[in-house]
Amino acid sequence: VDPNLPGPKRSRFLGISFGDDLDGETFEWTNWPPLCLHLSRRYNYKNWGGPTPNIGFGPAFYILITEDAIRHILRDNASNYLKSDTTKECLQEMFGDGILNVDGDLWKKHRMITTSLFTKDFVRYGAKVTAEKAEQVSSILDKLAETNEKEDSTKEECKLLSSPSSSSMETTDIQELFTRLTLDVFLNIAF
């Protein structure tokens, strides 16, 4: 790792030492996203990163923020940034041989197909649909959290998302609700 690359304090043997850079916060995987945002602000929204302990994840991590760096890795020099066998194995069950888990010619083929989908208008529309559907689910969950007095109106809300309504509001299959949310978003965006 380039010693001039901005990032948390480095330890020769342990990789990154987050202690001094977190303003009193401790590093835990559960707070990784807000921690990245905090550190991105600290490094003036420039690319940053650092070495990691050698435990199968590779020698370093990088948080890419600038458009040039992202383009360099995802488009211009993708063949230089291959996924490790460990990464592919971990992601196989979830992503199979999709764009997020392949390299080389198959990755190029997937990328060509998906690139045409992700125009600014498409992304904006997708974000709008996702926000609307998430608001519907949030409303359903809020109503489910209330007492059984509003059971009938909650059933009507559930029907809006094509969600099954149960005879008792005490139990709800949340996985099915989220699966339907995902399908509703996808179908509204794709068609």
Side-chain angles (χ1 to χ4, degrees), residues 72-73 75-83 103:
H72 171 82
I73 289 176
R75 189 182 72 190
D76 299 341
N77 292 295
S79 62
N80 292 333
Y81 300 94
L82 304 178
K83 294 158 195 74
D103 294 311

Coordinates of all heavy atoms in Angstrom, one line a residue, residues 72-73 75-83 103:
H72 N -11.3 3.6 -13.4 CA -10.0 2.9 -13.6 C -10.2 1.4 -13.3 O -9.8 0.5 -14.0 CB -8.9 3.5 -12.8 CG -7.7 2.7 -12.7 ND1 -6.7 2.7 -13.7 CD2 -7.2 1.8 -11.8 CE1 -5.7 1.9 -13.5 NE2 -6.0 1.3 -12.3
I73 N -10.9 1.1 -12.1 CA -11.0 -0.2 -11.7 C -12.2 -1.0 -12.3 O -12.0 -2.1 -12.8 CB -11.2 -0.3 -10.1 CG1 -9.8 0.1 -9.5 CG2 -11.6 -1.6 -9.6 CD1 -9.8 0.2 -8.0
R75 N -13.8 -0.2 -15.2 CA -13.9 -0.2 -16.7 C -12.6 -0.3 -17.4 O -12.3 -1.3 -18.1 CB -14.7 1.0 -17.2 CG -15.0 0.9 -18.7 CD -15.7 2.1 -19.2 NE -14.7 3.2 -19.3 CZ -15.0 4.5 -19.5 NH1 -16.3 4.8 -19.7 NH2 -14.1 5.4 -19.6
D76 N -11.7 0.6 -17.2 CA -10.5 0.7 -17.9 C -9.5 -0.4 -17.7 O -8.8 -0.8 -18.6 CB -9.8 2.1 -17.7 CG -10.7 3.2 -18.2 OD1 -11.7 3.0 -18.9 OD2 -10.5 4.4 -17.7
N77 N -9.4 -0.8 -16.4 CA -8.3 -1.8 -16.1 C -8.9 -3.0 -15.2 O -8.3 -3.5 -14.3 CB -7.2 -1.2 -15.3 CG -6.4 -0.2 -16.1 OD1 -5.8 -0.6 -17.1 ND2 -6.5 1.1 -15.8
A78 N -10.1 -3.4 -15.5 CA -10.8 -4.4 -14.7 C -10.0 -5.7 -14.7 O -10.1 -6.4 -13.7 CB -12.2 -4.6 -15.3
S79 N -9.3 -6.0 -15.8 CA -8.6 -7.3 -15.8 C -7.4 -7.3 -14.8 O -6.9 -8.4 -14.4 CB -8.0 -7.5 -17.2 OG -7.1 -6.5 -17.6
N80 N -7.0 -6.1 -14.2 CA -6.0 -6.1 -13.2 C -6.5 -6.3 -11.8 O -5.8 -6.3 -10.8 CB -5.2 -4.8 -13.3 CG -4.4 -4.7 -14.6 OD1 -4.0 -5.7 -15.1 ND2 -4.2 -3.5 -15.0
Y81 N -7.9 -6.3 -11.7 CA -8.5 -6.3 -10.3 C -9.4 -7.6 -10.3 O -10.6 -7.4 -10.2 CB -9.2 -5.0 -10.1 CG -8.3 -3.9 -10.1 CD1 -8.2 -3.1 -11.3 CD2 -7.6 -3.5 -9.0 CE1 -7.3 -2.0 -11.3 CE2 -6.8 -2.4 -9.0 CZ -6.6 -1.7 -10.2 OH -5.8 -0.6 -10.2
L82 N -8.8 -8.7 -10.2 CA -9.6 -10.0 -10.2 C -10.0 -10.3 -8.8 O -9.4 -10.0 -7.8 CB -8.8 -11.1 -10.8 CG -8.3 -10.9 -12.2 CD1 -7.4 -12.0 -12.7 CD2 -9.4 -10.6 -13.2
K83 N -11.1 -11.0 -8.7 CA -11.6 -11.5 -7.4 C -10.8 -12.7 -7.0 O -10.5 -13.6 -7.9 CB -13.1 -11.8 -7.5 CG -14.0 -10.5 -7.7 CD -15.3 -10.9 -8.3 CE -16.0 -9.7 -8.9 NZ -15.4 -9.3 -10.2
D103 N -15.1 -12.8 -13.5 CA -14.0 -11.9 -14.1 C -13.9 -12.2 -15.6 O -14.6 -13.1 -16.1 CB -12.7 -12.2 -13.4 CG -12.7 -11.8 -12.0 OD1 -13.1 -10.7 -11.7 OD2 -12.2 -12.7 -11.1

